[in-house]
Amino acid sequence: MNVLQVSAEIFPLLKTGGLADIAGALPAALHGAGCDVRVLLPGFAPIMADLQQPQVLTELTAPWGETVRICHGELATLGVQAYVLDVPHLYQRPGTPYEDEQRQPHHDNHRRFALLGWVAAQLACGLDAHWQPAVVHSHDWHAALTSAYLAFGPVRGRMVASVYTVHNLAYQGVFAPIHFYDLGLPPHAFSVNGLEFHGQMSFMKAGLYYADHITTVSPTYAKEIQTPEQGCGLDGLLRERAPELTGILNAVDESVWNPATDSAIPHTFDAKKPVGKARCKAALQQALGLSVKPEALLFGVVSRLTEQKGLHLVLAAVDDLIAQGGQLVVLGTGEAALEAEFSARAARHPESVAVRIGYDEAFAHQIFAATDVTLVPSRFEPCGLTQMYGLKYGSLPLVHKVGGLADTVVDCALEHLADGSANGFVFKEFSAAALQRAVRRAFALHDRPTEWRAVRQRAMQQQLGWDKAAAQYVALYRHLLA
Ligand code: ADP
Ligand code: GLC
């Protein structure tokens, strides 16, 4: 089965969050499940640089008159066939893929990402005579217009199914209505039954409305987004589309996240021989100027510093955590206020709190390897990957019971310790007090070293690989094509 994956990011070439991890892991996972996978990506500089022996497939003129050169080649790092939009003035600029250096959205994002969807639809309709997808699978708002262009585009040469995956409903790609007329979609698409959203144009809504099937990245989040509390204004549409909405839990790319083979950490280890983990902890404490105490319970945060992640609850708990003899290491970047608050805590308690503002892939691995507990107190979390990386690296996740966090972490309550399902700490009410109680449970378990080690060993041995999710995606594709 030929599958075209369409996304704006792909690990390890371009990553701003978990979307990239998933887009980077899916091609191999689906290949393992019998699919012939190709990817379509915007021509950001690291992606162009990785493309081996690029051939120009064709040059096309977008509906708004812009010329796009489509290159085809193999991504050296991933060993996957890729189509890339080679339009340097659109994709090769300072800033992030989405924002300029002043953290403002690029002024022409609607065209930059409409182009991605438009070309995906052309490929679905036979643009490459040598390879045509049976399934076009697009991810997040950046690729969401794929389904709309497919719905209105050239007649599909043969059956092509469209799948749209929501990684985060909160980022919607909403633009002023004036831009709609740039995009070459028929006027009636700008309606309630289309991509109109409170008078604006919403790429997210286009994906949700026009895709043959919608998936999201955990079963619990698939339910949550059908409620007004978490539906971001789209819960009505999602309830209507409930029969075509599935939650498929993300997984861990074990070729990247495996403490037994990880070259980014100073000492490797595994569930049976965890001694390297203690060494990683000592090395990190030393490197960051924390007191080098093996017994100090070390908490870690690796996160975008945004409101979604609930980190103000951690700020509220820091003093309590230190008073109990704990330590905290934070790696993150994002909102200036959160950056400043965390940095201030580190300045106040340098022997107990270390904060690094920035984005550092290797350092993230070192934190999971060194810490005892990974904090993920998100207000909402479609899936969340860091709690799963924590599990793999024996850093027990402490999470708010929401979205994919609820689907992956089981609290160390007595009954779960008894039946062997416990793998972390879960709080239900989204409050500092509830997080603090969970932190105390972590200390309490840590005071019983035999039980701590047993929970940690089971956590590290949990099956978190891609096999299950890949099989679910393939079953879905087959169902849609049947
Ligand atoms: P989200 O996609 O909402 O940010 P996820 O938990 O799904 O949340 O994925 C976050 C990914 O980004 C993980 O791979 C995590 O390790 C990584 N990450 C987040 N912040 C940083 C950072 N400052 N440095 C390195 N990696 C980071
Ligand atoms: C989004 C979500 C996160 C999820 C990731 C990958 O960024 O915020 O919860 O893990 O996508 O699906």
Side-chain angles (χ1 to χ4, degrees), residues 387-407:
Q387 83 280 12
M388 293 201 265
Y389 300 158
L391 289 170
K392 290 253 25 141
Y393 284 69
S395 178
L396 301 183
L398 188 156
V399 307
H400 178 214
K401 188 170 184 167
V402 74
L405 302 173
D407 292 336

Side-chain angles (χ1 to χ4, degrees), residues 183-203:
L183 301 187
L185 288 164
H188 63 268
F190 192 77
S191 82
V192 181
N193 296 318
L195 45 70
E196 186 268 344
F197 183 63
H198 299 290
Q200 308 276 94
M201 161 171 74
S202 164
F203 278 37

Side-chain angles (χ1 to χ4, degrees), residues 8-16 20 44 46-47 97:
E9 304 180 18
I10 193 160
F11 180 85
L13 301 173
L14 190 80
K15 165 167 167 177
T16 72
F44 296 114
I47 290 168

Side-chain angles (χ1 to χ4, degrees), residues 15 17-18 21 302-304 309 331-332 358-360 364 384-386 389:
K15 165 167 167 177
D21 288 5
V302 176
S303 184
R304 291 186 290 118
K309 301 295 179 178
L331 168 63
Y359 193 92
D360 185 336
L385 297 173
T386 57
Y389 300 158

Side-chain angles (χ1 to χ4, degrees), residues 287-302:
L288 296 176
L290 298 170
S291 313
V292 184
K293 290 187 190 156
E295 73 284 3
L297 195 58
L298 180 57
F299 294 77
V301 171
V302 176

Side-chain angles (χ1 to χ4, degrees), residues 325-348:
Q327 299 179 338
L328 173 67
V329 50
V330 177
L331 168 63
T333 173
E335 287 167 19
L338 281 169
E339 291 184 353
E341 286 234 40
F342 275 111
S343 301
R345 296 311 169 96
R348 212 177 302 155

